[in-house]
Amino acid sequence: MTWWVSGPEYIGFSAVVDRFRSEHPDLKVLNSSVKGAGREDALAALAARLEAGNPPDAYLAPGGEALASFAGAVPLEDLSGFVDEHGLTGAVRPELLELAAVDGTPSAVPVAVQRVNVLWSSVELLTAAGLDPADAPATIDDLLADLQAVRASGIEYPLALGGGTAEVEFFESLLLAEAGADGYRALLGEASWDTPAVRRAADQYLRLLDYAQPGFDRLAPSSAIRRVVDRKAAYAVGSDAAVQVFDSADRVYGADYTAIPVPGTAGVYDAVVEVFALPAERSHADAPLAWLETIASADAQGDLAAARSGIPVRSDAPAAGSGTYQQGAAASLAGDELVPSIAHGIALPPARTAGILDAVARFGADGRIEALITRLGGAQ
């Protein structure tokens, strides 16, 4: 069961299924994913099955705290031996394996990873505004100056933003820029949200919203990248998945668009991790382990990354040396300081994640920093 039911994700998933069938011709795959469902609807359907005591033999889930919440409903297989036997310990960054563990026990296999804190830009619109696309903004103040220059060139709303998780991706990137990786991690614990860094991030968020298109909160998270692709906005913050949107429109990295870490977050990889998990008690004992062997392999990881225009979790996967953007993203994954994303449920339990999503959405509507601080603290 997955939410990979359309687009590049489905293409990559289908390639892995084909690989599995060639390796195990005696086994059949029953795909119980909900057709047409998005990620959140699919996760709701998964949660309902787990609550009813009817788990899939294998399922896709976000890593970190989201995975722990699913394991709380139906315990997961201990994959300690599997991780060692299949070379994941040496091929996958330790922090990613930790995000596939529950209470320190390996309980899933990381199969996809994306970086959230990426600033995408339109080369054409920056050039038209008299800016050098190669001279990327180093600070949020630099970004604000660039946005003003693009507005002066005739683009009234040069910053694209989407609603829901996209708002929190944007806000958490500013938190990272102001608090740094250590300060960000402290906020994920019991630290107070009433800090100068959080207040600075909130202030920057409001200043940047002045350049965002009206009604962004009612749009799909992916809509921001589409505005940059269509040259309606010069900048947007979004994950590595944006490459899929640029590729589908035949946009060329470096010529039509560029990407950098959100100013102030260079050297930090804000990670969204997707994992495959096996319930400890399931309908079939051995076949799901065979599936896990396939999707955890370097070749299958290459299939997934290539279809998604992304980078593989495994450092030894064949897609690791693909396009220019992917090479840079792979280097970031290998060497940058890694933190878990709030927006996608990796960093915090579901209730806290929902509280922060609500707090940021309400802040975008009312602009009240004191109320935001109170709500963020209440989300603990």
Side-chain angles (χ1 to χ4, degrees):
M1 187 175 186
T2 81
W3 58 84
W4 294 341
V5 295
S6 62
E9 287 82 6
Y10 180 72
I11 293 171
F13 176 68
S14 298
V16 177
V17 171
D18 289 343
R19 183 179 295 279
F20 175 80
R21 286 172 173 154
S22 68
E23 295 171 349
H24 302 280
D26 57 322
L27 296 177
K28 294 182 179 180
V29 177
L30 173 61
N31 185 359
S32 59
S33 304
V34 181
K35 293 183 178 180
R39 176 181 180 273
E40 298 310 314
D41 289 341
L43 290 175
L46 171 62
R49 286 192 59 171
L50 296 178
E51 185 68 24
N54 178 34
D57 283 337
Y59 63 80
L60 184 68
E65 293 294 337
L67 177 67
S69 71
F70 289 124
V74 174
L76 297 173
E77 180 91 359
D78 182 342
L79 297 175
S80 302
F82 182 96
V83 166
D84 292 334
E85 180 183 352
H86 295 280
L88 295 173
T89 304
V92 178
R93 184 168 171 166
E95 294 94 328
L96 297 182
L97 291 176
E98 291 172 7
L99 291 173
V102 176
D103 294 331
T105 300
S107 303
V109 169
V111 294
V113 62
Q114 294 175 359
R115 176 178 47 168
V116 164
N117 56 312
V118 185
L119 179 68
W120 304 87
S121 61
S122 165
V123 168
E124 180 177 317
L125 293 188
L126 293 181
T127 302
L131 301 170
D132 181 358
D135 185 16
T139 67
I140 297 299
D141 285 341
D142 291 341
L143 175 59
L144 285 161
D146 283 3
L147 289 167
Q148 182 57 40
V150 177
R151 173 170 282 177
S153 74
I155 305 297
E156 182 65 19
Y157 299 108
L159 177 66
L161 189 61
T165 56
E167 295 176 74
V168 180
E169 286 181 345
F170 189 34
F171 185 70
E172 72 184 66
S173 294
L174 297 176
L175 283 177
L176 276 171
E178 295 297 338
D182 288 341
Y184 176 87
R185 291 192 191 95
L187 294 172
L188 304 180
E190 299 302 320
S192 171
W193 285 77
D194 190 359
T195 69
V198 175
R199 289 178 178 277
R200 288 195 303 271
D203 180 65
Q204 298 285 40
Y205 188 78
L206 289 180
R207 294 172 67 194
L208 288 161
L209 283 191
D210 182 58
Y211 295 94
Q213 78 278 15
F216 68 84
D217 55 320
R218 298 188 297 273
L219 301 176
S222 61
S223 63
I225 300 302
R226 175 54 63 182
R227 286 181 62 83
V228 176
V229 171
D230 293 341
R231 302 182 179 100
K232 295 179 179 178
Y235 285 111
V237 172
S239 76
D240 292 326
V243 176
Q244 300 172 16
V245 187
F246 286 105
D247 283 353
S248 68
D250 296 323
R251 301 290 190 262
V252 178
Y253 181 73
D256 299 312
Y257 70 98
T258 62
I260 61 168
V262 170
T265 70
V268 180
Y269 189 107
D270 188 9
V272 176
V273 184
E274 297 170 0
V275 302
F276 249 101
L278 273 60
E281 295 186 7
R282 50 188 183 268
S283 299
H284 305 89
D286 297 329
L289 281 168
W291 163 256
L292 207 60
E293 289 176 4
T294 295
I295 200 166
S297 69
D299 287 339
Q301 287 283 299
D303 292 340
L304 286 171
R308 295 162 63 122
S309 300
I311 59 172
V313 172
R314 293 187 66 126
S315 60
D316 57 352
S322 52
T324 303
Y325 176 79
Q326 287 83 353
Q327 291 178 32
S332 179
L333 176 62
D336 285 356
E337 194 165 1
L338 191 145
V339 299
S341 171
I342 296 171
H344 297 272
I346 311 299
L348 296 170
R352 286 192 65 189
T353 300
I356 291 177
L357 282 164
D358 177 69
V360 174
R362 293 169 71 177
F363 179 55
D366 63 32
R368 297 164 54 210
I369 291 180
E370 294 301 327
L372 171 69
I373 300 296
T374 300
R375 291 166 187 152
L376 291 173
Q380 295 186 0

